[in-house]
Amino acid sequence: MGGVAGAAGVNPYVQLVRAPAALSVLGDTVAGAAAAGRPLRGRRLALPLASVAFYWSGMALNDWADRRLDAVERPERPIPSGRISASRAFGVAAGLSGAGLVLSALAGGRDALTVAAPLAAAVWAYDTVLKKTPLAPVAMAVCRSLDVLLGAGGRAASRALVPAAVLGGHTLGVTALSAGEVHGASPARAAGALALTSVSAAAAASGRGGRPGQRAAALAAAAGYGVSVGTRQYAAVRTPTAPVVRAATAAGIHGMVPLQAALAARRGRVRAAALVALALPLARRLGRKVSPT
């Protein structure tokens, strides 16, 4: 994904891993844990940190894999600008993947590793092999779905398939649209992303059972997600130029937060959903200094 805004005065490693954008992954394991009925307590609180480590690893690996293309299209990025060497960026990616596996093991032992290991492999496969193929959006969606399942754990993964599919579907649309960040996209591609956003919002707010307060919280979060992301994507449908697509992609990344909150609230974890939602204003504020794309 895209370039880095406001490069001057920002640590190049912060830019390399898109550090503030990691706020958009903390809620993945929360949503997965809520669906599985396994709250994040005690050692399991390390699972959101494992998600962050895997996300940062993917961002560093992304820039390592794209370093020659970025020298032409995104020369302000840390590697082509010479502020970080390619070998060091690769080392950062490998180290963060290792940290994600260690944190997962500490949080849930072998049960967590049955999801964390495929997640790490999927991240590396996407950045090094699949990103430049038609399977790229699907591969990224798989990464996100596995991140949700990490919160449930291997034994309870089947209980979290719905939130995993919802967040994976959203990621599919955002990733497909992000391919037009440099040269623009087609209206059809933007419309496809908008359609997936609509389906994701409806799925996050739907379902049987739950108290009225839980249903109301889920509906409010899902509506906020749909409006914030859908508005930008609709603009891309009408004017699919590179700047508009970049804005829609950034909105899609930040939109993960209210979507995660909606999924957690619908499963009765309203307090957890509220904590997840608090990441959104901070992510947007920091995103003005370090682009999430």
Side-chain angles (χ1 to χ4, degrees), residues 1 16-18 50-66 77 89-90 92-97 119-120 122-128 131 140 143:
M1 291 183 182
L16 179 71
V17 300
R18 321 291 197 276
S51 291
V52 169
F54 288 131
Y55 186 88
W56 282 346
S57 172
M59 291 295 99
L61 191 61
N62 173 84
D63 280 16
W64 175 83
D66 282 355
R77 280 186 168 177
F90 186 86
V92 168
L96 286 167
S97 286
L119 172 56
V123 169
W124 280 74
Y126 169 78
D127 279 320
T128 60
K131 184 169 56 179
M140 182 58 81
C143 291

Short mmCIF file of all heavy atoms in Angstrom, two decimals, residues 1 16-18 50-66 77 89-90 92-97 119-120 122-128 131 140 143:
data_model
loop_
_atom_site.label_atom_id
_atom_site.label_comp_id
_atom_site.label_asym_id
_atom_site.label_seq_id
_atom_site.Cartn_x
_atom_site.Cartn_y
_atom_site.Cartn_z
N MET A 1 0.83 -1.19 0.00
CA MET A 1 0.00 0.00 0.00
C MET A 1 0.86 1.24 0.00
O MET A 1 2.06 1.19 0.19
CB MET A 1 -0.93 -0.01 1.22
CG MET A 1 -2.00 -1.08 1.13
SD MET A 1 -3.11 -0.99 2.52
CE MET A 1 -4.18 -2.34 2.18
N LEU A 16 8.32 3.00 8.38
CA LEU A 16 8.48 1.70 7.75
C LEU A 16 7.35 0.75 8.14
O LEU A 16 6.79 0.05 7.27
CB LEU A 16 9.83 1.09 8.16
CG LEU A 16 10.14 -0.30 7.60
CD1 LEU A 16 10.42 -0.23 6.11
CD2 LEU A 16 11.33 -0.92 8.35
N VAL A 17 6.99 0.72 9.41
CA VAL A 17 5.98 -0.24 9.87
C VAL A 17 4.59 0.38 9.94
O VAL A 17 3.64 -0.29 10.35
CB VAL A 17 6.36 -0.82 11.25
CG1 VAL A 17 7.69 -1.53 11.18
CG2 VAL A 17 6.38 0.26 12.33
N ARG A 18 4.47 1.67 9.51
CA ARG A 18 3.19 2.39 9.62
C ARG A 18 2.65 2.26 11.04
O ARG A 18 1.51 1.82 11.28
CB ARG A 18 2.14 1.87 8.64
CG ARG A 18 2.62 1.48 7.27
CD ARG A 18 3.06 2.62 6.39
NE ARG A 18 3.09 2.15 5.01
CZ ARG A 18 4.13 1.50 4.46
NH1 ARG A 18 5.21 1.27 5.18
NH2 ARG A 18 4.09 1.11 3.20
N ALA A 50 0.39 -9.44 19.77
CA ALA A 50 0.88 -10.32 18.71
C ALA A 50 0.36 -9.86 17.35
O ALA A 50 1.09 -9.86 16.36
CB ALA A 50 0.45 -11.76 18.99
N SER A 51 -0.91 -9.44 17.32
CA SER A 51 -1.49 -8.93 16.07
C SER A 51 -0.71 -7.72 15.58
O SER A 51 -0.45 -7.58 14.38
CB SER A 51 -2.96 -8.54 16.29
OG SER A 51 -3.76 -9.67 16.51
N VAL A 52 -0.37 -6.83 16.50
CA VAL A 52 0.40 -5.64 16.14
C VAL A 52 1.76 -6.03 15.56
O VAL A 52 2.21 -5.49 14.55
CB VAL A 52 0.58 -4.72 17.36
CG1 VAL A 52 1.59 -3.61 17.06
CG2 VAL A 52 -0.76 -4.11 17.77
N ALA A 53 2.41 -6.99 16.19
CA ALA A 53 3.72 -7.43 15.71
C ALA A 53 3.62 -8.00 14.30
O ALA A 53 4.44 -7.69 13.42
CB ALA A 53 4.31 -8.48 16.66
N PHE A 54 2.61 -8.80 14.03
CA PHE A 54 2.43 -9.37 12.69
C PHE A 54 2.11 -8.27 11.67
O PHE A 54 2.59 -8.30 10.53
CB PHE A 54 1.31 -10.41 12.69
CG PHE A 54 1.68 -11.69 13.38
CD1 PHE A 54 0.83 -12.26 14.33
CD2 PHE A 54 2.86 -12.35 13.09
CE1 PHE A 54 1.15 -13.45 14.96
CE2 PHE A 54 3.20 -13.54 13.72
CZ PHE A 54 2.34 -14.09 14.67
N TYR A 55 1.31 -7.29 12.08
CA TYR A 55 0.96 -6.19 11.18
C TYR A 55 2.20 -5.37 10.83
O TYR A 55 2.45 -5.08 9.65
CB TYR A 55 -0.08 -5.30 11.85
CG TYR A 55 -0.61 -4.19 10.96
CD1 TYR A 55 -1.70 -4.42 10.13
CD2 TYR A 55 -0.03 -2.93 10.95
CE1 TYR A 55 -2.20 -3.42 9.31
CE2 TYR A 55 -0.52 -1.92 10.13
CZ TYR A 55 -1.60 -2.17 9.31
OH TYR A 55 -2.08 -1.18 8.51
N TRP A 56 2.97 -5.01 11.84
CA TRP A 56 4.19 -4.25 11.59
C TRP A 56 5.18 -5.04 10.73
O TRP A 56 5.85 -4.48 9.86
CB TRP A 56 4.84 -3.86 12.91
CG TRP A 56 4.16 -2.70 13.59
CD1 TRP A 56 3.27 -1.84 13.04
CD2 TRP A 56 4.37 -2.27 14.94
NE1 TRP A 56 2.89 -0.90 13.97
CE2 TRP A 56 3.54 -1.13 15.15
CE3 TRP A 56 5.16 -2.74 16.00
CZ2 TRP A 56 3.49 -0.45 16.36
CZ3 TRP A 56 5.10 -2.06 17.23
CH2 TRP A 56 4.28 -0.94 17.40
N SER A 57 5.26 -6.33 10.98
CA SER A 57 6.12 -7.19 10.16
C SER A 57 5.71 -7.11 8.70
O SER A 57 6.55 -6.98 7.80
CB SER A 57 6.03 -8.64 10.65
OG SER A 57 6.70 -9.51 9.77
N GLY A 58 4.41 -7.19 8.46
CA GLY A 58 3.91 -7.12 7.09
C GLY A 58 4.20 -5.81 6.41
O GLY A 58 4.53 -5.76 5.21
N MET A 59 4.12 -4.72 7.15
CA MET A 59 4.40 -3.40 6.58
C MET A 59 5.88 -3.27 6.21
O MET A 59 6.23 -2.76 5.14
CB MET A 59 4.01 -2.30 7.56
CG MET A 59 2.52 -2.15 7.78
SD MET A 59 1.62 -1.61 6.30
CE MET A 59 0.97 -3.17 5.71
N ALA A 60 6.76 -3.72 7.10
CA ALA A 60 8.19 -3.66 6.80
C ALA A 60 8.54 -4.56 5.61
O ALA A 60 9.31 -4.17 4.72
CB ALA A 60 9.00 -4.08 8.03
N LEU A 61 7.95 -5.73 5.58
CA LEU A 61 8.20 -6.66 4.48
C LEU A 61 7.64 -6.10 3.17
O LEU A 61 8.23 -6.30 2.10
CB LEU A 61 7.57 -8.01 4.80
CG LEU A 61 7.96 -9.17 3.89
CD1 LEU A 61 9.46 -9.43 3.95
CD2 LEU A 61 7.18 -10.42 4.29
N ASN A 62 6.52 -5.41 3.25
CA ASN A 62 5.93 -4.77 2.08
C ASN A 62 6.92 -3.81 1.43
O ASN A 62 7.12 -3.83 0.22
CB ASN A 62 4.67 -4.02 2.50
CG ASN A 62 4.09 -3.17 1.38
OD1 ASN A 62 3.36 -3.67 0.54
ND2 ASN A 62 4.43 -1.89 1.36
N ASP A 63 7.54 -2.97 2.26
CA ASP A 63 8.47 -1.99 1.72
C ASP A 63 9.75 -2.64 1.21
O ASP A 63 10.37 -2.16 0.26
CB ASP A 63 8.79 -0.93 2.78
CG ASP A 63 7.68 0.11 2.89
OD1 ASP A 63 6.57 -0.16 2.38
OD2 ASP A 63 7.93 1.18 3.48
N TRP A 64 10.16 -3.72 1.87
CA TRP A 64 11.35 -4.44 1.39
C TRP A 64 11.06 -5.04 0.01
O TRP A 64 11.87 -4.93 -0.91
CB TRP A 64 11.72 -5.55 2.38
CG TRP A 64 12.85 -6.40 1.89
CD1 TRP A 64 14.19 -6.13 1.98
CD2 TRP A 64 12.74 -7.66 1.20
NE1 TRP A 64 14.92 -7.14 1.39
CE2 TRP A 64 14.06 -8.08 0.91
CE3 TRP A 64 11.66 -8.45 0.81
CZ2 TRP A 64 14.31 -9.28 0.25
CZ3 TRP A 64 11.92 -9.64 0.14
CH2 TRP A 64 13.23 -10.04 -0.13
N ALA A 65 9.90 -5.66 -0.15
CA ALA A 65 9.55 -6.30 -1.41
C ALA A 65 9.33 -5.27 -2.52
O ALA A 65 9.60 -5.55 -3.70
CB ALA A 65 8.30 -7.16 -1.23
N ASP A 66 8.86 -4.08 -2.16
CA ASP A 66 8.52 -3.05 -3.16
C ASP A 66 9.63 -2.02 -3.35
O ASP A 66 9.42 -0.99 -3.98
CB ASP A 66 7.26 -2.30 -2.72
CG ASP A 66 6.00 -3.10 -3.00
OD1 ASP A 66 6.09 -4.18 -3.60
OD2 ASP A 66 4.91 -2.65 -2.60
N ARG A 77 9.67 7.00 0.70
CA ARG A 77 9.62 5.93 1.68
C ARG A 77 11.02 5.66 2.26
O ARG A 77 12.03 5.99 1.65
CB ARG A 77 9.03 4.66 1.06
CG ARG A 77 7.52 4.69 0.97
CD ARG A 77 6.96 3.38 0.48
NE ARG A 77 5.51 3.32 0.68
CZ ARG A 77 4.74 2.32 0.29
NH1 ARG A 77 5.29 1.28 -0.31
NH2 ARG A 77 3.44 2.35 0.51
N ALA A 89 15.57 -3.46 6.89
CA ALA A 89 14.11 -3.56 6.82
C ALA A 89 13.68 -5.03 6.84
O ALA A 89 12.70 -5.39 7.51
CB ALA A 89 13.59 -2.87 5.57
N PHE A 90 14.43 -5.88 6.12
CA PHE A 90 14.12 -7.31 6.12
C PHE A 90 14.30 -7.89 7.52
O PHE A 90 13.48 -8.70 7.97
CB PHE A 90 15.03 -8.03 5.13
CG PHE A 90 14.69 -9.49 4.96
CD1 PHE A 90 13.73 -9.89 4.04
CD2 PHE A 90 15.34 -10.46 5.72
CE1 PHE A 90 13.42 -11.24 3.88
CE2 PHE A 90 15.02 -11.80 5.57
CZ PHE A 90 14.06 -12.19 4.65
N VAL A 92 13.97 -6.27 10.33
CA VAL A 92 12.86 -5.80 11.15
C VAL A 92 11.63 -6.67 10.93
O VAL A 92 10.94 -7.07 11.87
CB VAL A 92 12.54 -4.32 10.82
CG1 VAL A 92 11.22 -3.89 11.46
CG2 VAL A 92 13.67 -3.42 11.33
N ALA A 93 11.36 -6.98 9.66
CA ALA A 93 10.20 -7.81 9.34
C ALA A 93 10.32 -9.20 9.97
O ALA A 93 9.36 -9.71 10.57
CB ALA A 93 10.05 -7.94 7.82
N ALA A 94 11.50 -9.80 9.86
CA ALA A 94 11.71 -11.13 10.43
C ALA A 94 11.61 -11.10 11.95
O ALA A 94 10.99 -11.98 12.57
CB ALA A 94 13.07 -11.67 9.99
N GLY A 95 12.21 -10.08 12.55
CA GLY A 95 12.17 -9.98 14.00
C GLY A 95 10.76 -9.79 14.55
O GLY A 95 10.39 -10.38 15.57
N LEU A 96 9.97 -8.99 13.86
CA LEU A 96 8.60 -8.75 14.31
C LEU A 96 7.73 -10.00 14.12
O LEU A 96 6.85 -10.27 14.94
CB LEU A 96 8.00 -7.56 13.57
CG LEU A 96 8.52 -6.20 14.02
CD1 LEU A 96 8.12 -5.11 13.02
CD2 LEU A 96 7.98 -5.86 15.41
N SER A 97 7.97 -10.75 13.07
CA SER A 97 7.24 -12.01 12.91
C SER A 97 7.57 -12.96 14.06
O SER A 97 6.67 -13.62 14.62
CB SER A 97 7.60 -12.68 11.58
OG SER A 97 7.00 -12.03 10.50
N LEU A 119 -0.84 -17.58 10.22
CA LEU A 119 -0.97 -16.14 10.00
C LEU A 119 0.37 -15.55 9.57
O LEU A 119 0.44 -14.78 8.60
CB LEU A 119 -1.46 -15.46 11.28
CG LEU A 119 -1.46 -13.93 11.30
CD1 LEU A 119 -2.27 -13.37 10.14
CD2 LEU A 119 -2.00 -13.41 12.63
N ALA A 120 1.44 -15.90 10.28
CA ALA A 120 2.77 -15.41 9.91
C ALA A 120 3.14 -15.86 8.49
O ALA A 120 3.66 -15.08 7.69
CB ALA A 120 3.81 -15.90 10.91
N ALA A 122 1.08 -16.59 6.08
CA ALA A 122 0.22 -15.89 5.11
C ALA A 122 0.73 -14.48 4.85
O ALA A 122 0.68 -13.99 3.72
CB ALA A 122 -1.21 -15.85 5.63
N VAL A 123 1.21 -13.80 5.89
CA VAL A 123 1.75 -12.45 5.73
C VAL A 123 2.97 -12.48 4.80
O VAL A 123 3.08 -11.66 3.87
CB VAL A 123 2.14 -11.86 7.10
CG1 VAL A 123 2.95 -10.58 6.93
CG2 VAL A 123 0.88 -11.58 7.93
N TRP A 124 3.86 -13.43 5.03
CA TRP A 124 5.06 -13.52 4.19
C TRP A 124 4.72 -13.93 2.76
O TRP A 124 5.31 -13.43 1.80
CB TRP A 124 6.07 -14.48 4.82
CG TRP A 124 6.83 -13.83 5.93
CD1 TRP A 124 6.37 -13.52 7.18
CD2 TRP A 124 8.18 -13.35 5.88
NE1 TRP A 124 7.35 -12.89 7.92
CE2 TRP A 124 8.46 -12.78 7.16
CE3 TRP A 124 9.17 -13.36 4.90
CZ2 TRP A 124 9.71 -12.22 7.45
CZ3 TRP A 124 10.41 -12.80 5.20
CH2 TRP A 124 10.66 -12.24 6.46
N ALA A 125 3.76 -14.83 2.62
CA ALA A 125 3.36 -15.25 1.28
C ALA A 125 2.75 -14.09 0.50
O ALA A 125 3.02 -13.92 -0.70
CB ALA A 125 2.36 -16.41 1.37
N TYR A 126 1.95 -13.29 1.18
CA TYR A 126 1.33 -12.15 0.51
C TYR A 126 2.39 -11.18 0.01
O TYR A 126 2.39 -10.79 -1.16
CB TYR A 126 0.37 -11.43 1.46
CG TYR A 126 -0.10 -10.10 0.91
CD1 TYR A 126 -1.10 -10.04 -0.06
CD2 TYR A 126 0.48 -8.90 1.34
CE1 TYR A 126 -1.51 -8.83 -0.59
CE2 TYR A 126 0.07 -7.69 0.81
CZ TYR A 126 -0.92 -7.65 -0.15
OH TYR A 126 -1.31 -6.44 -0.69
N ASP A 127 3.28 -10.75 0.90
CA ASP A 127 4.24 -9.71 0.54
C ASP A 127 5.30 -10.16 -0.45
O ASP A 127 5.75 -9.36 -1.28
CB ASP A 127 4.92 -9.17 1.81
CG ASP A 127 4.07 -8.15 2.54
OD1 ASP A 127 3.44 -7.31 1.88
OD2 ASP A 127 4.03 -8.19 3.78
N THR A 128 5.70 -11.42 -0.38
CA THR A 128 6.81 -11.86 -1.22
C THR A 128 6.39 -12.56 -2.51
O THR A 128 7.17 -12.60 -3.46
CB THR A 128 7.73 -12.83 -0.43
OG1 THR A 128 6.96 -13.98 -0.02
CG2 THR A 128 8.31 -12.15 0.80
N LYS A 131 1.37 -10.65 -3.75
CA LYS A 131 0.93 -9.26 -3.82
C LYS A 131 0.79 -8.75 -5.25
O LYS A 131 -0.08 -7.92 -5.53
CB LYS A 131 1.89 -8.37 -3.03
CG LYS A 131 1.46 -6.92 -2.95
CD LYS A 131 2.30 -6.15 -1.96
CE LYS A 131 3.75 -6.25 -2.26
NZ LYS A 131 4.56 -5.46 -1.28
N MET A 140 -4.72 -11.09 1.27
CA MET A 140 -4.77 -10.13 2.37
C MET A 140 -6.00 -10.39 3.24
O MET A 140 -5.94 -10.27 4.47
CB MET A 140 -4.79 -8.71 1.84
CG MET A 140 -4.80 -7.64 2.92
SD MET A 140 -3.39 -7.75 4.06
CE MET A 140 -2.15 -6.92 3.08
N CYS A 143 -5.23 -13.14 5.59
CA CYS A 143 -4.42 -12.65 6.72
C CYS A 143 -5.30 -12.04 7.80
O CYS A 143 -5.13 -12.31 9.00
CB CYS A 143 -3.40 -11.63 6.23
SG CYS A 143 -2.08 -12.27 5.19
#
